[in-house]
Amino acid sequence: MRVVGLDVGSRSVKLVVMDECGRIVDVRLADTTFDPSKQCLALIEGLKVDRIQATGYGRHLMGKILQASVVPEILAHARAVHHMFPNAKGVLDIGGQDTKCIALGDGGRVIKFEMNDRCAAGTGKFLEIMAGAFGMGIEKFGAFALEADEASNISSMCTVFAESEATSLMARGERPSRIALGLHVAVARRALSMVRRVSPAMPIAFTGGVALNPCMRKLLAEELEDQILIPSHPQLMGAIGAALLLLDKIASGERGADMCSGRGAEERGSRA
Amino acid sequence: MESHRPASDNRVGWLCSYTPMEIPLALGLLPTRMSGQGRISGATDPRIYHLLCPYVRSVFKAAAQLRPERVVFARCCDAMVRLHDLWKVCFGGKVHFLDLPKISSPEAVSYFANVLRGWAKELRDGAEPEEEELWDSITEMNRVRAFFRGLFSEVARRALPYSWVRERVRLWLEYPTEGTLKAIEEERQALHFDGKMGKGPGVILSSTMLDQGEIVSLIEEAGLVVVGDDECLGERHFHMDVEEGGDPFEALAHRYLQRWPCPRMKGVGRRLEELERILEERGAAGVVIVYLKFCDQSSFDIPLIQEKFRKKGVPLLLLENDYTSSALGQMRTRLEAFREILHEGF
């Protein structure tokens, strides 16, 4: 049996194919663009799978098109984190459009969560727009910020105002890497304030595309005293969780509690 | 009420649930609730600050196209007072204002009774209304309140979807005639509800003005069953009858100031008691608060409500409503995750 976890995010679509033992057998990625259904269908083309479960913002859209079940991304991330880090007590997920903090209870159950809304401040989109203002791709922005010896003070988290603030600092001759580091510090500060409000026990896992950013990893690890766990492919956690939850559903409904005695952490991550 | 049915240009627009509909109805006028159509759309009006209450802004926006000849405002919050000021400048017409107390002491009741007496005289161009007309109207409204309480009790028993009842409340508040009520009664009798909503975790919905049916739909679509509410135009609006006898204005003032209070009344204690009561009576598993953005009065209560329910171990979800559709996707995600938390019995 093969199942698909499909995470239709605001910026990218992530697809994970999993066998019945929870092993990842295929991964596919694409930009979401303004036509997410076309992108998803292109990703799925040629795959031979039994069931699909969608998560992310486009889950209901793709659920209808693909006749797939759906699951909210909060649960998907929680499930994937518990699968890979059974000792994790929380999740900080910073994606393209939103930030979520989730407190986990026994067995990885979601006991509390918080999620930003409306505004892209403090999310991957914010960093992407700022990277654009520096004339570089988002994949290089974190490393560039880490070149700085100290951070400029960025007081605004609004994407529009922060860009103006960065422009003003550049005009005053401030070193660009310091400004970049200041922007990362501002994002980290905002995420940490959410972590404090939800107050999960430690350690917590850092997931979502922003967890690929080395500067964000470093800043959060420093603030959380290294009590942060980072999967090797943090951007896939939503899709992995969707697939695992689908396997759980199939196992509990169709074949009893455990389909595969060897099922476990296929893809462990590492501490930051 | 059919006998009082006025011509359509005889409407009295109202905004606050503390406005006694009995008075305009007694005078042959049609009190119609102004909803602002539940959405702020298009460009922000330069005359109204964009950080003001979204409900107030939506009403102001809608009023530019369609507004009643008479409008009554109440001193329920600063935003509403500002809307009253703007209304007079921008739209004119016959604008009334009710100086609504924040407490319910005997002195406050007497004061509010005099305010209502003055309003009734204004509506009748200076003449005293007949007591008999008022008592007829009060009796009718007590009957209407009992009718809607009956519908909400069906919601509590999961025999009717909350969204269905809220939509009928909205229709009646916009056009409160005997015909509307009869149509709702007939529709209810003809409704053979299939009971699909009966399975999910029960929640109490707490809010102030919640005009967006789409938010209620999101809650239900997420698999949650609203079994009770604490909302301006929900159960609170129909709570308690006017005691018949004595001075009608005193009786009205007493009912309106003594009923299940809204956040603009002083203190949160009584409101918390009512929330706890319905939570326990109806076996609700959690509370969903839909907070009206920029509403200081209700937001001051939220930490107290959160603390109370946190201590009791009742899960609570806080959603922010700004009368736009920008966050509906995120709301859906939160509601679905909240449903799972409740489903697992946390």
Side-chain angles (χ1 to χ4, degrees), chain A residues 196-231:
Chain A
R196 286 187 193 105
R197 283 196 300 275
V198 176
S199 59
M202 293 291 147
I204 63 169
F206 182 23
T207 66
V210 174
L212 293 167
N213 180 311
C215 186
M216 286 300 299
R217 294 159 74 125
K218 181 171 181 286
L219 290 170
L220 290 171
E222 281 171 3
E223 285 296 322
L224 296 171
E225 298 173 341
D226 284 333
Q227 290 292 297
I228 187 164
L229 306 160
I230 302 176

Side-chain angles (χ1 to χ4, degrees), chain B residues 17-142:
Chain B
S17 169
Y18 280 83
T19 308
M21 295 169 67
E22 290 89 340
I23 293 174
L25 284 169
L27 302 176
L29 299 166
L30 185 75
T32 180
R33 195 217 158 214
M34 295 194 292
S35 72
Q37 292 152 11
R39 180 69 65 84
I40 301 172
S41 57
T44 303
D45 195 297
R47 288 165 295 190
I48 194 159
Y49 188 45
H50 74 281
L51 297 182
L52 208 68
C53 164
Y55 169 60
V56 158
R57 287 174 58 213
S58 72
V59 169
F60 184 73
K61 183 127 186 119
Q65 292 156 353
L66 186 68
R67 58 181 176 274
E69 171 65 16
R70 293 171 184 267
V71 180
V72 58
F73 296 89
R75 189 187 294 284
C76 38
C77 61
D78 186 59
M80 202 58 80
V81 176
R82 300 284 79 78
L83 180 63
H84 163 262
D85 298 342
L86 262 176
W87 200 282
K88 287 201 292 190
V89 171
C90 297
F91 304 132
K94 293 172 182 171
V95 178
H96 307 270
F97 188 79
L98 302 180
D99 195 15
L100 177 66
K102 284 181 79 73
I103 54 175
S104 54
S105 66
E107 293 80 10
V109 169
S110 292
Y111 178 80
F112 193 46
N114 278 329
V115 168
L116 297 180
R117 194 173 282 113
W119 180 42
K121 281 174 75 172
E122 279 175 31
L123 287 175
R124 188 160 264 187
D125 298 322
E128 285 277 350
E130 297 289 332
E131 273 202 13
E132 198 181 328
E133 291 172 322
L134 271 169
W135 282 121
D136 285 350
S137 173
I138 287 169
T139 305
E140 280 299 297
M141 277 297 294
N142 280 344

Side-chain angles (χ1 to χ4, degrees), chain B residues 211-230:
Chain B
D211 284 322
Q212 301 87 331
E214 58 207 316
I215 293 180
V216 175
S217 297
L218 277 183
I219 294 171
E220 293 182 344
E221 284 164 20
L224 297 165
V225 180
V226 180
V227 292
D229 78 3
D230 160 44

Side-chain angles (χ1 to χ4, degrees), chain A residues 56-57 59-60 70-75 97-98 100 105 109-119, chain B residues 293 317 320-322 324 326-327 329-341 344-346:
Chain A
Y57 287 117
R59 65 188 179 280
H60 288 287
V70 296
V71 64
E73 55 266 36
I74 291 167
L75 302 181
Q97 184 172 285
D98 63 38
K100 307 172 196 82
R109 283 188 305 164
V110 175
I111 55 173
K112 192 178 176 188
F113 65 89
E114 201 168 294
M115 179 179 169
N116 72 325
D117 56 16
R118 290 183 188 84
C119 179
Chain B
K293 196 169 183 180
L317 180 69
E320 188 181 79
N321 176 19
D322 66 356
T324 72
S326 65
Q330 286 95 330
M331 271 191 202
R332 183 188 292 275
T333 298
R334 289 179 186 190
L335 285 161
E336 288 176 358
F338 189 62
R339 188 267 322 275
E340 291 300 319
I341 290 176
E344 290 185 0
F346 223 90

Side-chain angles (χ1 to χ4, degrees), chain A residues 81 87-92 101-105 200-206 229:
Chain A
V81 163
N87 63 327
K89 299 290 190 290
V91 184
L92 174 65
C101 183
I102 307 163
L104 300 177
M202 293 291 147
I204 63 169
F206 182 23
L229 306 160

Side-chain angles (χ1 to χ4, degrees), chain A residues 18 31 33 50 52 63 101 113 141 145 164 181 197 203-204 221 236 239:
Chain A
M18 215 173 253
D31 286 344
T33 74
D50 298 284
I52 300 172
C101 183
F113 65 89
F141 196 42
S164 307
L181 182 56
R197 283 196 300 275
I204 63 169
L236 297 179

